[in-house]
Amino acid sequence: MHPDRERQIRSLFDEYIEMYAARDDRLTMRFSENFSGYTGGGNVLVKARDEWVKITRQDFAQVPGRIRIEMLDISLQDVSDRVVAVTAFFHIHLPVPDHILSREVARLVLIFRLEGDDWKIVHSGISIPYHLVQEGEVYPLKSLQERNSALEALVAARTQALHESQALYRLLTEDTLDVLWKTDRNLCLTYISPSDERLRGYKAEEVVGHHVFDLFTDEGVAAVKKLMRDSQASGEPASQAGFLTFQVQHRCKDGRLLWGEVLSKPERNAEGAIVGYHGITREITERRRLEDQVRQLAFHDPLTNLPNRRLLRDRLGHAMAASKRSACHGALMFLDLDEFKTLNDTHGHEAGDLLLLEVAGRLKGCVREVDTVSRFGGDEFVVLLAELNTDRAESHLHAQLIAEKIRAALAEPYVLVLHKEGKAECTIQYRCSASIGAVIFANHAASQDDVMKWADAAMYRAKDAGRNTIRFYQAES
């Protein structure tokens, strides 16, 4: 990212944090008319700007004094000329005697879009792992909890009213943007609102009488069938507690695919037997795209698209848990490119980025699909080998062979082609090696931090041994 662009994105984020920390109402002017967002404890997407302004002002009123934001980590992403994104992790220190939230790590994702001459916030998602945060809240706000209860009661009342009158049901659903539908007990559609034609292009007569699975892609059908099997296997189907909610991809008449969030509820007769189902389908294609984009920014390296250190720690945790169950060993390798700084200093960061991309590709070509290659930061990479062998010596030999394969692959010559605006294409032939440190782990009491520390120590031993070499961690006796 160009330094000027990086400073611009950071400035937008810093202004937001300062206004939020100061409880400055001018922050509400920064929200786009096309705003969407998730509150700290909620999983419901707020799509109305005025609603988000009310939530923000209620937040400010509940804690009117200035709060302190202790920043832990931040990631800046230049999505396009007019769209940028920031992901930040921090502690929140409230001006109250007891330290609510201060020990928890909050995550905030902000997406800014240039509208006219001003940068506006088009999406905000904050996640606070705090056990008292209720649905739709940022902090434990009793008034929001009461408001949610009132809304739930209103939805229940309206649903009951729709059941009482089929004519009123149709009248109220003809012009809604969401698709309302009904099926018989065998999941064959008996009614679908006109919104489906506007959304997917199918007329009602082309759909009614067909199985509801005809609306979904093959992958969607498989996912919904699994959800139904899981509900039946649990002995307490989720639909008995209310609406069963799931997301599934739908087919359109023109060949397009879109994502829909489906809310489904059974209809029962006086004896309690299911006689049909009714529900609502809401298009969430854009929401899914933003969620995927946010997830990509949070857990993958923007340059190489490899898992970052957060995702690596998660996968290492899973690998160690699997090792405990199966008694199979695993291996963790830390790699550091030798003399990488020389390439950057001589040919610039563009050449360095091209080399890192080539290294990432070679690393992935040396391991299995079940293994993990991660960019840890800078010119450091980590390779996680899981489920090797129950015999430690066999596992060590396998890891040694993989490490040597990686060392040899990275030592092969690199051909880097630089494209600079206004200048002729420049080809660089470069040689680069790697120092590799590895550790074998199994179902013992070592922590993730121990395993990573041991692999790192072994890598520095490889550096001290002259580089372009491999060292395995040996515990001190």
Side-chain angles (χ1 to χ4, degrees):
M1 189 186 304
H2 192 279
D4 290 342
R5 183 67 163 179
E6 183 176 353
R7 284 192 292 270
Q8 181 185 32
I9 299 174
R10 184 58 190 260
S11 176
L12 289 171
F13 178 75
D14 288 344
E15 289 174 3
Y16 172 90
I17 289 295
E18 171 57 28
M19 285 187 170
Y20 186 79
R23 327 308 275 161
D24 190 340
D25 190 69
R26 290 176 297 174
L27 179 62
T28 59
M29 303 299 294
R30 300 297 181 92
F31 302 142
S32 170
E33 291 296 328
N34 296 316
F35 176 87
S36 68
Y38 290 95
T39 54
N43 58 9
V44 177
L45 181 66
V46 177
K47 299 180 70 173
R49 178 187 182 277
D50 291 344
E51 185 66 19
W52 192 262
V53 169
K54 288 171 60 179
I55 292 173
T56 301
R57 287 173 174 165
Q58 190 167 9
D59 177 356
F60 290 0
Q62 180 72 13
V63 185
R66 184 183 181 88
I67 65 174
R68 182 167 66 87
I69 303 295
E70 178 187 356
M71 199 62 60
L72 302 176
D73 195 7
I74 186 170
S75 172
L76 310 178
Q77 178 69 26
D78 196 355
V79 179
S80 69
D81 291 343
R82 305 180 66 85
V83 179
V84 299
V86 181
T87 303
F89 295 82
F90 49 87
H91 292 306
I92 299 175
H93 298 272
L94 301 179
V96 293
D98 45 335
H99 300 287
I100 300 176
L101 301 181
S102 63
R103 297 181 181 86
E104 307 291 344
V105 177
R107 184 183 74 180
L108 172 66
V109 176
L110 290 175
I111 298 179
F112 298 85
R113 182 171 64 199
L114 186 61
E115 299 180 356
D117 296 328
D118 296 321
W119 286 93
K120 297 289 188 178
I121 300 170
V122 296
H123 181 78
S124 171
I126 185 168
S127 175
I128 305 175
Y130 184 61
H131 69 282
L132 290 182
V133 174
Q134 301 297 315
E135 186 74 20
E137 295 181 337
V138 175
Y139 303 122
L141 305 179
K142 181 179 178 181
S143 57
L144 275 180
Q145 185 177 12
E146 294 173 347
R147 176 180 172 275
N148 288 340
S149 298
L151 287 176
E152 291 172 359
L154 179 60
V155 169
R158 289 184 176 177
T159 301
Q160 181 62 33
L162 290 176
H163 280 219
E164 293 172 353
S165 173
Q166 182 67 22
L168 179 60
Y169 175 84
R170 292 187 177 226
L171 178 64
L172 294 177
T173 60
E174 290 299 305
D175 295 324
T176 183
L177 294 177
D178 296 336
V179 178
L180 287 91
W181 48 265
K182 295 186 68 172
T183 73
D184 60 19
R185 59 180 301 176
N186 297 316
L187 295 180
C188 289
L189 287 158
T190 59
Y191 170 79
I192 194 162
S193 67
S195 300
D196 186 58
E197 182 179 353
R198 294 192 291 268
L199 188 64
R200 299 190 309 122
Y202 288 100
K203 295 182 180 296
E205 55 267 27
E206 298 177 278
V207 176
V208 171
H210 290 261
H211 198 280
V212 71
F213 285 171
D214 292 345
L215 277 61
F216 308 149
T217 62
D218 292 342
E219 295 81 1
V221 171
V224 175
K225 285 182 176 179
K226 181 179 184 302
L227 178 65
M228 295 171 66
R229 288 195 301 269
D230 292 345
S231 296
Q232 293 172 355
S234 67
E236 185 179 352
S239 57
Q240 289 186 358
F243 280 100
L244 178 64
T245 304
F246 57 90
Q247 297 178 4
V248 63
Q249 210 167 25
H250 289 63
R251 296 183 298 103
C252 298
K253 193 171 184 177
D254 60 6
R256 291 180 300 113
L257 299 177
L258 58 83
W259 280 95
E261 182 178 61
V262 180
L263 291 82
S264 173
K265 190 173 185 179
E267 296 180 3
R268 300 177 183 273
N269 60 20
E271 290 73 32
I274 294 178
V275 295
Y277 298 86
H278 70 273
I280 303 171
T281 299
R282 173 170 296 173
E283 184 189 8
I284 57 167
T285 306
E286 180 65 12
R287 169 178 148 191
R288 288 278 304 207
R289 186 188 68 80
L290 288 174
E291 288 175 349
D292 291 344
Q293 187 179 68
V294 168
R295 191 178 300 109
Q296 182 73 13
L297 292 173
F299 296 106
H300 290 80
D301 172 53
L303 174 64
T304 63
N305 203 34
L306 294 177
N308 60 18
R309 65 176 63 198
R310 297 188 193 94
L311 186 52
L312 170 68
R313 291 187 69 92
D314 179 71
R315 292 188 178 176
L316 177 58
H318 284 294
M320 294 180 72
S323 173
K324 189 172 184 179
R325 292 192 301 269
S326 67
C328 285
H329 292 75
L332 190 71
M333 302 181 188
F334 269 41
L335 298 84
D336 187 84
L337 301 182
D338 301 326
E339 303 298 340
F340 175 73
K341 186 175 184 296
T342 301
L343 176 64
N344 271 342
D345 293 344
T346 305
H347 298 285
H349 290 285
E350 181 184 356
D353 288 349
L354 289 175
L355 180 66
L356 292 174
L357 286 168
E358 179 66 21
V359 168
R362 294 186 186 186
L363 286 174
K364 288 191 291 185
C366 291
V367 299
R368 306 166 298 178
E369 287 290 335
V370 296
D371 300 324
T372 296
V373 177
S374 168
R375 185 183 176 199
F376 208 61
D379 60 336
E380 292 184 328
F381 293 83
V382 179
V383 175
L384 172 63
L385 306 178
E387 297 287 324
L388 293 178
N389 196 288
T390 55
D391 182 76
R392 183 178 181 85
E394 288 291 331
S395 297
H396 188 285
L397 177 60
H398 185 89
Q400 178 75 42
L401 292 173
I402 295 297
E404 176 57 30
K405 183 179 179 181
I406 290 173
R407 188 204 63 76
L410 298 186
E412 290 292 323
Y414 296 83
V415 178
L416 309 176
V417 181
L418 300 182
H419 302 276
K420 294 187 177 181
E421 187 175 352
K423 294 183 179 181
E425 183 180 277
C426 175
T427 300
I428 301 170
Q429 292 189 350
Y430 192 76
R431 285 186 176 273
C432 180
S433 61
S435 299
I436 303 174
V439 62
I440 303 296
F441 62 86
N443 55 330
H444 47 61
S447 66
Q448 287 190 37
D449 289 337
D450 287 336
V451 173
M452 296 178 75
K453 179 179 66 177
W454 294 336
D456 191 48
M459 182 193 72
Y460 278 102
R461 285 183 54 216
K463 286 280 188 186
D464 294 340
R467 307 183 180 185
N468 191 26
T469 189
I470 302 163
R471 289 292 183 270
F472 275 76
Y473 175 79
Q474 298 293 336
E476 297 181 1
S477 57

